Amino acid sequence: GVDISRVKSRTNTEGDRDFSQPELNKALSEDQRVVVDRINKAIGRWKEVASDRPPIVFCPSVEYSHWAADLWRQAGYTAAAIDAKTEDSVRDNHIKEIHLGNVQVTCNYGIYTHGTDVDKWSCIVLLRPTESQGLLSQMLGRVTRPLNHVGHALNNYDDPSERRVL
């Protein structure tokens, strides 16, 4: 329900094109009712198809990540918003809490897009539109990278349906 067709694109220093962050944020956050509806639809869809899988939620802004975490909490889940303003010690503790099973949903803006491997995340909720193939690949990589214990286990199964159980 959000028209982002007028959001301009920018080229970063690596030559990768993506939406202008200020314009994208404005377009996606202009109407609070639309924000709440959009996030609640994502929560509902996640509950339908992957409620047993802890998600990492990619958001288009700091504010959006906090709104998303609040709405996930209102839906009855433990959720945290992580962004560049979050202190390193809090981020480190957050990862520990995920591994302990104390945090079910991680909503983030620009922090866990690359270089973070958390094997508890097994689902992506993508609330952040992007035109960047590189960024999309990085976000998808948070849950699609084979882990050592999974990679070795795959060799024990001949049928793809058996591998999906992992």
Side-chain angles (χ1 to χ4, degrees):
V2 179
D3 181 11
I4 60 171
S5 64
R6 293 188 181 114
V7 174
K8 293 179 183 163
S9 294
R10 303 275 186 249
T11 302
N12 66 18
T13 55
E14 291 86 33
D16 203 16
R17 289 193 66 74
D18 201 0
F19 294 113
S20 160
Q21 276 311 120
E23 288 187 34
L24 182 63
N25 186 30
K26 182 179 178 195
L28 292 173
S29 304
E30 224 165 21
D31 185 339
Q32 186 68 30
R33 291 172 303 182
V34 172
V35 170
V36 169
D37 185 53
R38 186 170 184 258
I39 295 169
N40 279 330
K41 281 182 181 177
I43 293 169
R45 185 68 178 137
W46 170 77
K47 286 166 66 172
E48 286 175 25
V49 300
S51 63
D52 60 331
R53 298 171 66 193
I56 178 166
V57 182
F58 291 100
C59 299
S61 70
V62 170
E63 297 82 15
Y64 217 99
S65 68
H66 288 271
W67 293 330
D70 286 343
L71 289 170
W72 244 280
R73 285 190 290 270
Q74 288 175 30
Y77 300 92
T78 54
I82 306 293
D83 55 67
K85 296 177 183 177
T86 307
E87 294 179 23
D88 288 344
S89 62
V90 173
R91 287 187 214 168
D92 293 343
N93 189 56
H94 172 74
I95 297 294
K96 288 176 189 169
E97 292 297 311
I98 292 169
H99 285 291
L100 292 171
N102 297 332
V103 175
Q104 295 167 293
V105 181
T106 301
C107 302
N108 89 107
Y109 171 67
I111 293 301
Y112 296 133
T113 52
H114 63 279
T116 305
D117 294 320
V118 177
D119 61 357
K120 292 286 185 180
W121 291 329
S122 63
C123 179
I124 295 171
V125 175
L126 195 56
L127 294 174
R128 186 214 189 282
T130 184
E131 293 180 315
S132 168
Q133 285 296 315
L135 178 59
L136 180 61
S137 294
Q138 288 293 334
M139 290 188 288
L140 295 176
R142 295 316 95 217
V143 300
T144 58
R145 178 175 292 118
L147 301 169
N148 287 336
H149 65 281
V150 173
H152 295 298
L154 293 179
N155 295 330
N156 297 328
Y157 299 97
D158 295 323
D159 182 352
S161 65
E162 293 173 302
R163 291 193 296 269
R164 286 188 202 107
V165 175
L166 294 174

